[in-house]
Amino acid sequence: MLTFEQKLNNYADIIVKIGANIQPGQSLMLNASIESPEHARLVVKKAYEAGAYQVKVVWTDDAVSRIRYDLAPEQSFLEVPKWSAGEKLEMAEQGAAAVTISSADPDLLKGVPQERIRNADRTLRQANEKYRQLSQAFKFSWSLATVPSPAWAAKVFPDVPADEQVSKLWDAIFCMVRADQPDPIAAWTAHIAELHAKAKYLNEKQYKKLHYTGPGTDLTIEMPDGHVWLGGSKQNGQGIWFVPNLPTEEVYSAPLRTGVNGTVSSTKPLSYNGNIIDRFSFIFQDGRVVKTTAEQGEEALQGLLETDEGAKYLGEVALVPHRSPISDSNILFYKTLFDENASCHLAVGSAYASCIKNGSSLSQEELLARGLNRSMAHTDFMVGSGELNIYGVTSEGGEEPVLLNGNWAF
């Protein structure tokens, strides 16, 4: 049994050696929450020990963010923050890695007028559009991780005594990112190999379409010619491997922008811009969302779809077995980084350039011409369950099982 300090040390190792995979002489941009400064400092230490040239830390604070949304003038949400976006873009173009360690309260912006949230979100996306394009083409290494906060822990474990909630969430995170393993690096290496094997199988199949069936779901997703399935680690523009999501259980690709038809229903709540959206569904016609319903957070859902025209189309299709470590925990994390890795999911918004052959070398216009969606948005939502079946449709029209009752059929 490892101590808390040993698991915390392992987690920092995973972020630096597996997530960002820092190389000697490489800089690191670290976005970290003030909720766990000791962990952020440990990541900084590990990065320098790995040979980092410079580590730039930007601290985030939920309380400060909420005060701004409550009290700042309307005009401030419409001004593009060029100074911060410019620094991020410059470091990314120079080959720096980026790590974000989040702990945000899922209900942080509950009660804030949706117009304020939409304006702030759109402005930030506009400022970081070039940076986002580089990240989605995997031109530089980046990784997302989490640490607990009291508000997030209370949301996840409302029935646990308040003084035990954060500790319980730490234990869950350590387990999901394999930081509780005696040799976490070896555990991650084996896990990545399994995800690569699944992606290889699907890449060889090159299904023409995927057909989803389940409660409230009957959806057909056409795949573009030359689509690529990815999973686990990726290669950046310099050929260095990194893992974008900690944890990760998915194998994913990009659908044909105009090839999505039918109905799909969510199976888990979505935490979006500090609000919870739950029990929602989409109807697609020729790729575009033509109707939505939501029992909770409908205004926030509409705000997402109104980000731009591309936000009404799918940019990602991701396969995750129902029997995965996160799903088996029966914990609803109210954080997409975890919940999407417990469930098959889709994403409205932009597609990853690497999800099509030679995509990383194509312009945004060329990607669109190949059938990949463009948008400032990219938001995953969960559709998987033990009742979901997915069939791959061959070019001849035959159907082969990909997932049955939520789990891999091959």
Side-chain angles (χ1 to χ4, degrees), residues 144 176-178 188 245-249 326 337-338 340-341:
L144 306 177
M176 301 313 158
V177 299
R178 296 171 171 80
W188 267 99
N245 291 345
L246 302 172
T248 184
E249 303 289 338
I326 302 173
L337 180 60
F338 283 85
E340 73 170 5
N341 284 297

Side-chain angles (χ1 to χ4, degrees), residues 189-203:
T189 301
H191 177 55
I192 290 169
E194 292 178 2
L195 293 175
H196 283 180
K198 296 297 185 185
K200 181 175 184 291
Y201 175 91
L202 292 167
N203 283 325

Side-chain angles (χ1 to χ4, degrees), residues 311-359:
K312 300 175 180 65
Y313 293 79
L314 290 184
E316 180 184 336
V317 50
L319 307 180
V320 180
H322 183 60
R323 293 302 307 273
S324 69
I326 302 173
S327 180
D328 287 346
S329 74
N330 291 317
I331 297 172
L332 181 60
F333 284 92
Y334 295 97
K335 189 171 288 290
T336 302
L337 180 60
F338 283 85
D339 293 334
E340 73 170 5
N341 284 297
S343 168
C344 286
H345 54 276
L346 304 168
V348 290
S350 58
Y352 286 95
S354 295
C355 288
I356 200 164
K357 189 175 181 180
N358 301 320

